[in-house]
């Protein structure tokens, strides 16, 4: 990779034309891949200044037809003969384009994001609804839509899949869909729901052997999972305001108390929403680990990463102060939990790149890691996607 | 209250002898009470520099006899004839003294805390165990022990009670014990468990009318509640690392989505453990409230307070940066969730006063509010306790 090429595009990525910028990335990635093949250099990830990867985006602007299909599927739970077939879902490419042009794509342009790792709406996964067949059909339909979006916009989106989880059913039954999404659709990871029961928490903790079959497949495929609950079926928990954050906090504490990463030393999990409550209570978790004679949290950080879906400057400042920069992945959750503009700043609450840019604890190198380098390490299959992204001439219209 | 008296004892409270310090408090409180009676001045709380009230302490150093009694009570659930009588619990005053001298009282002295608002061990409440009779008997036994400690150490402790909650049973059945503790034992508040089912979250949200009977009694008695879950009966949730924090986060989000404080405009709740995940996600909560057309969070802050049980400097810095100083109450949770010494600082993780002292966002006036003034507002019945505390000649030995 030419250092001169890199230097030529240094500076604010918002000021670089998308086409020129992506072209430079393509040259860099292809060059690095070639030199790696020749010399087997252990360079961890290509360094591409200006690259910004949002590791947590959901397709939350779905056409109404998708909701109609899901409604029919749920209505048919008591009358299986009425179950809709996947091919009865009719959504045109134009409808797909319309659904993201004014939303995810506009925000990418406005905020200077290069690529978004896109998955189906998290609250829509609804693993607690119906049975394993329901969940498999709905996951396939949802993942196929992501694939179509990725195919329409290879320079903007990379896919992550929903898994066909069902309460009380072994996650072994998710292996097939994960393999299909990774091997056939080119997805780079999955979302794993630690509570398929939807707020009742009836399945075993993530550290139980119950979950091992899906971990084995993740390791085989070298894809990470974002630990992400779905809708809340429990009136105590508001989905995005309580259940999501509780799920994050719960998962991290499960990891502290187990030896899961001894069994899966290379597995990687991303805890979204800034890690739930964890960074705010970093002292509590360090202290609990110590009291319980568990390893220091730094050992967990070989396998656990936090995203930056924290919607104010003070929160990002805390995250970047206590969690090593190597373990933070840029994300906005857009279009997600909070859609409004913060009257205190005049900017969207979920325009998290602004907070990263202003975080005083991050050096320039740290910031590059957070914005792109770490995502490339955690999602190794992204490497194959960057040249494809760069070869596309910007956003289709 | 003489301004000169106040000025004379300004400076680090650790450097003031306990007897002289409490004497000054007594003079101040009595003086203020007298002047208030005369002039009906609307002064909110007496200003007493150096006063430090820890609003969240648990009796977690109980003699073994208490565990033995509880064990017998639980064992008798299937054989009610074996249920132990309260008077079968034998703990001497000396045993009580021994249980706190080297723990809570030592930490008070070492850390410069004047008074601790003490309640039974939170994880020990175990509302999910047995039935309403079990819970009532256990609550009375636990609260009576707190009363004995408060009586032995009136200058060190003020009582807050455990409520005899039971899953699925109306909190109306807690009114009697709350009234007994406040009117007969002189307690100043209660701990309210938002999830009596112990991690299964089977009762309605705190904003449901189900809970109104206990709120009515709280308002009548003018006592606040700390919202505090108990043990986790769900293997997904580590008690102090997940269930506690999730309970805090959940409660706050319930408040955002309801009009509870329209029905109870003067009720006051303290959310412990620094408010769970809330301050870290303050932007998320502001944004969610705005998206849902709910009032701004500042309106909730008329009724909701956060404690400072956050065990590292960065966490307290965040809390004091985003939450108004009027809504933060000093607390350490000692002897509580984390008992060790932080190898990074050489001090106990839960020595939270150090973090408050160093928090850059707090002015001296803010710090006085956090350390004592706010507790006096939120627990109005404390006013009657401060002269009693001051009249005692220090810590009994």
């Amino acid at each position: 990779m030419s250092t001169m090429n890199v230097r030529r595009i240094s500076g604010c990525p918002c000021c670089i034309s998308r086409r020129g910028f992506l072209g430079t990335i393509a040259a860099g990635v292809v060059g690095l891949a070639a030199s790696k093949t020749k010399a087997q250099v252990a360079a961890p990830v290509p360094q591409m200044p200006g690259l910004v990867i949002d590791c947590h985006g959901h397709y939350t602007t779905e056409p109404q037809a998708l909701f109609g299909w899901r409604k029919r599927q749920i209505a048919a739970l008591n009358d299986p003969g009425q179950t809709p077939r996947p091919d009865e879902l009719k959504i045109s490419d134009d409808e797909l384009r319309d659904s993201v042009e004014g939303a995810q794509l506009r925000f990418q342009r406005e905020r200077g994001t290069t690529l978004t790792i896109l998955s189906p709406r998290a609250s829509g996964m609804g693993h607690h609804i119906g049975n394993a067949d329901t969940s498999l059909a709905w996951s396939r339909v949802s993942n196929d839509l992501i694939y179509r979006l990725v195919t329409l916009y290879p320079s903007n989106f990379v896919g992550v899949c929903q898994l066909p989880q069902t309460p009380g059913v072994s996650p072994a039954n998710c292996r097939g869909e994960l393999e299909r999404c990774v091997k056939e659709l080119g997805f780079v990871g999955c979302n794993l729901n630690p509570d398929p029961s939807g707020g009742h928490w009836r399945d075993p903790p993530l550290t139980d052997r119950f979950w091992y079959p899906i971990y084995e497949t993740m390791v085989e495929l070298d894809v990470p999972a974002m630990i992400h609950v779905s809708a809340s079926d429990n009136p105590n928990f508001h989905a995005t305001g309580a259940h999501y954050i509780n799920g994050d906090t719960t998962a991290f504490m499960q990891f502290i108390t187990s030896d899961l990463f001894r069994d899966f030393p290379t597995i990687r999990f991303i805890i979204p929403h800034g890690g739930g409550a964890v960074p705010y209570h970093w002292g509590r978790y360090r202290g609990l680990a110590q009291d319980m004679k568990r390893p220091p949290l730094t050992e967990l950080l070989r396998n656990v990463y936090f995203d930056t879906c924290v919607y104010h400057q003070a929160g990002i400042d805390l995250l970047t102060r206590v969690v090593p920069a190597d373990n933070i992945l840029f994300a906005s959750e857009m279009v997600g939990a909070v859609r409004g503009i913060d009257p205190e700043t005049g900017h969207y609450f979920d325009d998290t790149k602004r907070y990263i840019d202003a975080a005083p604890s991050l050096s320039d190198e740290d910031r590059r890691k957070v914005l792109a380098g770490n995502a490339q390490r955690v999602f190794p299959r992204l490497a194959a996607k960057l040249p494809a992204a760069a070869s596309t001439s910007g956003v289709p219209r």
Side-chain angles (χ1 to χ4, degrees), chain A:
Chain A
M1 184 176 183
S2 156
T3 310
M4 286 191 66
N5 264 350
V6 173
R7 296 233 167 104
R8 206 180 302 153
I9 62 157
S10 68
C12 171
C14 309
C15 308
I16 304 165
S17 78
R18 186 171 179 86
R19 185 184 301 232
F21 170 61
L22 289 171
T24 313
I25 290 175
V29 174
V30 172
L32 182 123
S35 69
K36 230 183 139 181
T37 311
K38 266 191 214 161
Q40 298 296 315
V41 181
V45 293
Q47 291 292 317
M48 291 173 284
L51 179 64
V52 177
I53 300 170
D54 183 338
C55 81
H56 184 182
H58 294 300
Y59 185 37
T60 47
T61 52
E62 316 93 319
Q64 280 302 317
L66 186 67
F67 296 112
W69 191 93
R70 175 66 162 165
K71 204 173 163 186
R72 283 181 59 205
Q73 189 198 32
I74 294 170
L77 290 175
N78 294 322
D79 184 5
Q82 299 300 312
T83 304
R85 294 191 316 275
D87 64 7
E88 289 180 69
L89 174 63
K90 305 290 185 196
I91 297 175
S92 70
D93 283 356
D94 278 348
E95 285 175 294
L96 287 180
R97 288 190 188 99
D98 286 348
S99 71
V100 294
E101 282 284 353
Q104 288 86 350
L105 295 184
R106 178 167 72 86
F107 290 134
Q108 280 190 347
R109 285 191 297 268
E110 289 177 0
R111 302 177 186 181
T113 310
T114 317
L115 280 176
T116 300
I117 297 179
L118 190 72
S119 59
R121 180 191 289 264
S123 64
M125 298 188 296
H127 295 120
H128 59 287
I129 298 171
N131 54 34
D133 290 339
T134 318
S135 201
L136 180 59
W138 174 232
S139 294
R140 289 182 67 103
V141 159
S142 301
N143 292 331
D144 285 351
L145 269 192
I146 297 296
Y147 175 66
R148 287 179 62 194
L149 283 161
V150 168
T151 306
L152 284 171
Y153 298 97
S155 64
N156 299 87
F157 298 133
V158 173
V160 149
C161 68
Q162 164 180 334
L163 295 174
Q165 298 177 245
T166 302
V169 176
S170 167
N173 81 334
C174 298
R175 301 174 95 149
E177 180 62 3
L178 179 56
E179 284 178 352
R180 183 184 80 94
C181 288
V182 173
K183 292 182 176 171
E184 297 174 27
L185 310 187
F187 286 18
V188 298
C190 59
N191 289 336
L192 181 69
N193 183 350
D195 171 32
S197 70
H200 301 291
W201 293 90
R202 291 187 186 128
D203 281 303
L206 288 174
T207 49
D208 191 278
R209 299 188 78 85
F210 173 81
W211 298 89
Y212 277 26
I214 193 68
Y215 298 159
E216 287 161 4
T217 307
M218 283 169 55
V219 170
E220 276 166 34
L221 297 171
D222 202 14
V223 295
M226 178 171 280
I227 295 168
H228 204 310
V229 297
S230 184
S232 166
D233 183 47
N234 185 326
N236 279 286
F237 303 130
H238 183 277
T240 53
H243 191 40
Y244 280 26
I245 306 295
N246 293 350
D248 307 333
T249 308
T250 300
F252 189 78
M253 192 62 211
Q254 291 176 359
F255 292 150
I256 286 182
T257 53
S258 90
D259 290 323
L260 177 65
F261 302 126
R262 200 177 291 169
D263 289 342
F264 295 97
T266 63
I267 204 166
R268 298 173 303 283
F269 292 111
I270 301 142
I271 304 191
H273 321 110
V278 171
Y280 177 45
H281 286 287
W282 199 243
R284 188 180 193 87
Y285 292 105
R286 286 202 300 113
L288 284 169
Q290 180 175 291
D291 285 356
M292 291 186 289
K293 318 283 185 217
R294 298 293 309 161
L297 300 191
T298 43
E299 288 205 17
L300 283 187
L301 295 182
R302 295 173 190 164
N303 304 87
V304 178
Y305 300 81
F306 300 108
D307 83 7
T308 66
C309 294
V310 178
Y311 296 155
H312 62 148
Q313 189 66 51
I316 291 290
D317 289 354
L318 172 90
L319 171 67
T320 51
R321 183 174 165 188
V322 300
V323 175
D326 284 336
N327 288 78
I328 303 173
L329 272 65
F330 171 66
S332 69
E333 205 181 348
M334 68 97 179
V335 179
V338 176
R339 302 195 176 197
I341 290 173
D342 184 347
E344 290 183 8
T345 65
H347 299 292
Y348 284 97
F349 279 104
D350 66 359
D351 186 358
T352 52
K353 186 163 170 294
R354 288 180 179 276
Y355 314 134
I356 307 288
D357 288 343
S361 303
L362 294 176
S363 68
D364 288 348
E365 191 190 341
D366 288 341
R367 199 166 277 112
R368 279 194 292 274
K369 288 179 181 174
V370 170
L371 291 175
N374 296 337
Q376 291 168 275
R377 278 194 299 124
V378 174
F379 293 88
R381 286 174 180 266
L382 264 180
K385 300 291 163 186
L386 292 175
S391 70
T392 309
S393 56
V395 182
R397 293 175 196 282

